């Protein structure tokens, strides 16, 4: 029961973050919203795994956490340098 | 019950994201929304118990392809060209005719879950009966994707690898030369 409530609460949070991603006046609002949705997806899948007893999908939640991190780092690097091959120390 | 609710909500999120992508004009934002779309569909796959598809979608759809699209964006401009003012009639006609032919074609496909269809009578029963002992994978989808179809997947990976080498030779070499020339100056 409590898990179902948690799942619904996570869905509501995703909806709010999604609204921010659609409206978000600046780029950083949107990046943050995407990161937020990614984190909530990790939580949702973890809750779902416990709820349905299919514990092997916890692995997917772990993959999401990693992908989310790499994705946001890549996005921020692009925003800062305008390309991927700048090393970061120069200029 | 809760599975159905999550399914419906995630599908609704997919629709919202797709509509938002169509309405956006900033390519950077569109890429961010693409990654969201991919995350949602991967979540849906996870809810539907298709662990491998969810894995692939998360790693390739949300991870690699977002980074690749951002890399492409770094080499191009951030905004779309102005849409053409006149209605493209001939392409619209071609699309409608092709779509109609495809829909017409679906009438010959056996209906969903039809026990008499070739997919259910030919190799399916073998996988269901022997999948566990042949591959010792708990999920039949995993057994088919990773083991029975292993050669197919190997072929796909070879094709993608070759395509990647081709792209690197065509584009990467030139970029590196440009960088070297800049360094010499």
């Amino acid at each position: 029961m409590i898990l179902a409530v948690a799942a619904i609460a996570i869905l509501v949070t995703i909806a709010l973050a999604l609204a921010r991603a659609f409206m978000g006046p600046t780029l950083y609002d949107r990046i943050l919203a995407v990161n937020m949705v990614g984190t909530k997806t990790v939580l949702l899948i973890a809750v779902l795994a416990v709820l349905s007893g299919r514990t092997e999908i916890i692995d997917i939640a772990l993959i999401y956490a990693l992908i989310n991190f790499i994705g946001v780092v890549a996005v921020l690097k692009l925003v800062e340098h305008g390309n991927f091959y700048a090393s970061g120390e120069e200029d | 019950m809760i599975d159905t609710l999550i399914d419906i909500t995630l599908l609704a999120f997919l629709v919202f994201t797709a509509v938002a992508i169509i309405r956006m004009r900033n390519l950077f934002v569109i890429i961010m929304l693409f990654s969201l779309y991919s995350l949602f569909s991967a979540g849906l796959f996870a809810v539907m118990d298709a662990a491998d598809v969810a894995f692939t979608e998360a790693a390739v759809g949300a991870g690699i392809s977002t980074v690749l699209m951002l890399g492409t964006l770094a080499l191009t401009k951030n905004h779309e060209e102005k849409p053409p003012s006149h209605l493209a009639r001939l392409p619209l006609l071609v699309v409608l005719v092709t779509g109609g032919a495809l829909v017409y074609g679906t009438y010959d496909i056996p209906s969903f879950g039809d026990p008499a269809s070739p997919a259910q009578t030919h190799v399916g029963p073998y996988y269901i009966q022997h999948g566990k002992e042949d591959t010792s994978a708990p999920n039949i989808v995993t057994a088919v994707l990773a083991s029975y179809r292993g050669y197919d997947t190997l072929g796909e990976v070879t094709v993608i690898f070759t395509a990647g080498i081709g792209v690197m030779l065509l584009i990467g070499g030139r970029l590196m030369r440009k960088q070297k020339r800049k360094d010499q100056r």
Side-chain angles (χ1 to χ4, degrees):
Chain A
M1 185 59 211
I2 190 82
L3 286 174
V5 173
I8 292 168
I10 290 170
L11 284 177
V12 171
T13 322
I14 291 179
L16 292 175
L18 201 59
R20 180 47 70 201
F22 291 163
M23 300 187 307
T26 71
L27 201 58
Y28 297 102
D29 284 322
R30 295 181 205 271
I31 293 173
L32 199 61
V34 170
N35 192 16
M36 176 95 168
V37 172
T39 316
K40 294 307 155 201
T41 316
V42 172
L43 288 181
L44 182 66
I45 291 175
V47 167
L48 204 70
V50 179
L51 198 64
S52 62
R54 303 185 304 241
T55 40
E56 73 269 12
I57 57 176
I58 294 251
D59 295 350
I60 300 175
L62 287 176
I63 291 263
Y64 275 18
L66 290 172
I67 295 283
N68 206 18
F69 174 71
I70 294 172
V72 169
V73 168
V75 168
L76 291 176
K77 192 162 161 54
L78 180 81
V79 171
E80 198 184 346
H81 298 291
N83 61 42
F84 282 127
Y85 35 85
S87 64
E89 267 89 39
E90 58 201 86
D91 66 50
Chain B
M1 196 349 237
I2 189 76
D3 269 24
T4 323
L5 185 74
I6 293 174
D7 269 348
I8 292 171
T9 320
L10 284 181
L11 284 171
F13 286 164
L14 277 187
V15 173
F16 292 153
T17 317
V19 172
I21 288 172
I22 294 170
R23 294 177 59 88
M24 290 289 173
R25 278 292 166 265
N26 183 326
L27 288 181
F28 193 93
V29 176
I30 289 179
I31 293 176
M32 302 303 331
L33 292 182
F34 269 147
S35 121
L36 271 187
Y37 190 93
S38 201
L39 263 182
F40 286 141
S41 41
L44 265 178
F45 293 143
V47 176
M48 287 190 249
D49 209 5
D52 311 84
V53 190
F55 258 134
T56 318
E57 183 65 38
V60 176
I64 305 293
S65 70
T66 305
V67 174
L68 283 182
M69 278 195 276
L70 285 173
T72 315
L73 186 64
L75 299 175
T76 57
K77 283 176 276 176
N78 196 16
H79 287 275
E80 281 183 45
E81 298 263 306
K82 278 228 169 65
S85 51
H86 67 280
L87 191 67
R89 285 220 175 71
L90 185 65
L92 185 66
L93 186 75
V94 170
V95 166
L96 284 180
V97 169
T98 316
L102 287 176
V103 170
Y104 176 72
T106 59
Y107 286 114
D108 279 345
I109 294 176
S111 60
F112 180 72
D114 182 8
S117 72
Q120 318 285 0
T121 56
H122 185 49
V123 287
Y126 177 84
Y127 290 156
I128 292 169
Q129 279 163 15
H130 303 275
K132 181 88 182 169
E133 53 195 271
D134 279 359
T135 64
S136 68
N139 190 325
I140 293 179
V141 181
T142 310
V144 172
L145 273 183
S147 181
Y148 289 118
R149 271 188 44 186
Y151 280 118
D152 186 45
T153 308
L154 183 67
E156 283 168 16
V157 172
T158 314
V159 169
I160 293 172
F161 184 63
T162 317
I165 291 177
V167 169
M168 276 179 73
L169 284 177
L170 284 173
I171 298 175
R174 195 179 302 166
L175 267 185
M176 243 175 260
R177 246 175 284 144
K178 216 183 266 175
Q179 194 77 19
K180 213 180 271 173
R181 229 177 290 153
K182 211 184 274 174
D183 290 345
Q184 282 167 356
R185 249 185 266 154

